[in-house]
Amino acid sequence: MEYNLIHLGMKQFFFLLLMMGFTIQLSPAQEIKILTFNIYHGENPNKQGDSTFHLISDYLILNQPEVVALQEVDSMTLRSERIYNRKLDFMRKLARETGYKGYFGKAMDFEEGGYGEGLLAKKGSAYHTLPLPNPAGGEPRAVAWVKAELKTLEEFYFGGTHLCHEFTENRMAQLDSLISYAETLDKPVIWVGDLNFTPDSEEYKSIPSHWKEAGREAGNEQATYRTGEEAMRIDYIWYDSRKFELVEYKVLDQVTYSDHYPVWAVLRMRKEE
């Protein structure tokens, strides 16, 4: 009798383990909502001195992306003082008002403060900034990185950048530096930003084929930058297709408080085989 009870208990135990494993295997991977947006330093390009901070903040609170990259971000500059009546640490204030953890990656000194990249993550660590090469001269550029963590405890690296707007030579060198670094990371990688080249450019074509660009994969060639009559697609979300699959992509052209539109994608992390 005692043997039968023990035997029954062990069968129930192993059945429970089997069901737990089956449940874990069937649980869907978490979808990762991503936003990249060149914010024109938080000022309305059509109305000088008009802050767009509250519009950006409200949009993030409403849509809740897991990670956000912002370009053309000011930190404690005289320009921000002219807009906000005080020098403003834009990313610190944005993080505080949206509930994200924020980070400012300075690309260059500007008007007594800094100018560069902003990152927001719901949960992130290992924030850091890497300068990018500038062989042809011009403005310094950088890429800001964070190791983000999902609710499922899976981790990935997320980088945001703004490449040179003047010289192809710079953009090619900056791409090479960014991608070379991304290939060394020990977690899946997504990198985004205002890259200042179009899909038919030498720069675009130089990117290795396992890096997929969300707009092209979605068949969406919509412009992401517009000023006057000029419209171009120069803002992108790139992901390692060996680690992620695309769920959704869109250009948010109803958001009109910059000379760029926000670019949105949803990715799903591939299950390890």
Side-chain angles (χ1 to χ4, degrees):
M1 180 68 176
E2 184 178 349
Y3 170 79
N4 288 338
L5 288 174
I6 293 172
H7 183 65
L8 179 61
M10 289 181 66
K11 285 177 66 176
Q12 290 173 332
F13 174 72
F14 285 117
F15 178 75
L16 180 60
L17 284 179
L18 179 64
M19 290 306 296
M20 286 176 64
F22 185 67
T23 303
I24 291 168
Q25 187 177 6
L26 289 183
S27 62
Q30 184 179 341
E31 294 184 348
I32 307 166
K33 293 178 287 187
I34 300 154
L35 184 77
T36 181
F37 187 20
N38 180 322
I39 63 169
Y40 196 77
H41 59 266
E43 182 179 26
N44 187 333
N46 301 311
K47 188 176 180 182
Q48 190 173 12
D50 184 21
S51 163
T52 57
F53 178 92
H54 63 290
L55 298 172
I56 297 167
S57 175
D58 289 349
Y59 186 86
L60 295 176
I61 292 169
L62 179 64
N63 290 279
Q64 293 293 305
E66 268 69 47
V67 284
V68 179
L70 304 178
Q71 299 86 49
E72 295 195 18
V73 177
D74 275 5
S75 179
M76 305 301 289
T77 64
L78 292 174
R79 179 165 61 188
S80 68
E81 187 174 32
R82 291 194 292 272
I83 299 168
Y84 298 97
N85 297 317
R86 61 185 176 88
K87 288 184 177 181
L88 181 70
D89 185 333
F90 192 95
M91 292 309 301
R92 182 186 293 273
K93 179 175 173 61
L94 190 60
R96 185 170 61 244
E97 298 205 6
T98 59
Y100 285 84
K101 184 172 182 181
Y103 176 77
F104 173 68
K106 186 170 78 170
M108 68 179 191
D109 295 328
F110 181 74
E111 291 195 1
E112 298 184 4
Y115 175 79
E117 314 306 315
L119 294 180
L120 295 168
K122 289 191 173 183
K123 188 173 183 181
S125 62
Y127 289 88
H128 58 288
T129 304
L130 295 178
L132 294 173
N134 248 16
E139 291 182 356
R141 300 289 174 164
V143 54
W145 290 99
V146 60
K147 183 164 69 173
E149 183 179 313
L150 301 173
K151 292 177 181 177
T152 55
L153 304 184
E154 294 167 300
E155 294 177 318
F156 64 96
Y157 279 96
F158 179 70
T161 193
H162 184 190
L163 300 189
C164 177
H165 66 292
E166 296 179 285
F167 306 110
T168 299
E169 182 182 357
N170 280 349
R171 291 191 292 272
M172 291 293 284
Q174 290 163 4
L175 271 178
D176 182 65
S177 176
L178 187 159
I179 293 171
S180 295
Y181 178 74
E183 298 285 8
T184 71
L185 296 171
D186 62 353
K187 303 289 182 183
V189 178
I190 302 164
W191 54 276
V192 308
D194 174 0
L195 305 187
N196 275 313
F197 57 73
T198 56
D200 60 352
S201 66
E202 178 184 359
E203 298 95 314
Y204 191 106
K205 294 172 185 176
S206 74
I207 297 171
S209 61
H210 63 275
W211 294 104
K212 300 300 184 187
E213 186 263 304
R216 174 156 292 179
E217 291 303 298
N220 186 335
E221 299 289 323
Q222 189 174 350
T224 65
Y225 167 81
R226 184 179 297 278
T227 178
E229 297 300 314
E230 184 179 35
M232 296 184 291
R233 192 162 84 91
I234 58 175
D235 303 84
Y236 302 100
I237 293 172
W238 292 84
Y239 60 95
D240 186 343
S241 61
R242 299 167 300 187
K243 303 294 184 180
F244 299 98
E245 57 185 349
L246 181 66
V247 177
E248 179 185 43
Y249 170 85
K250 55 188 174 182
V251 178
L252 305 166
D253 59 358
Q254 75 278 12
V255 178
T256 57
Y257 37 87
S258 174
D259 52 356
H260 292 248
Y261 299 128
V263 176
W264 170 279
V266 179
L267 298 178
R268 184 183 297 119
M269 195 176 291
R270 294 185 185 276
K271 290 292 187 180
E272 293 290 340
E273 296 182 359

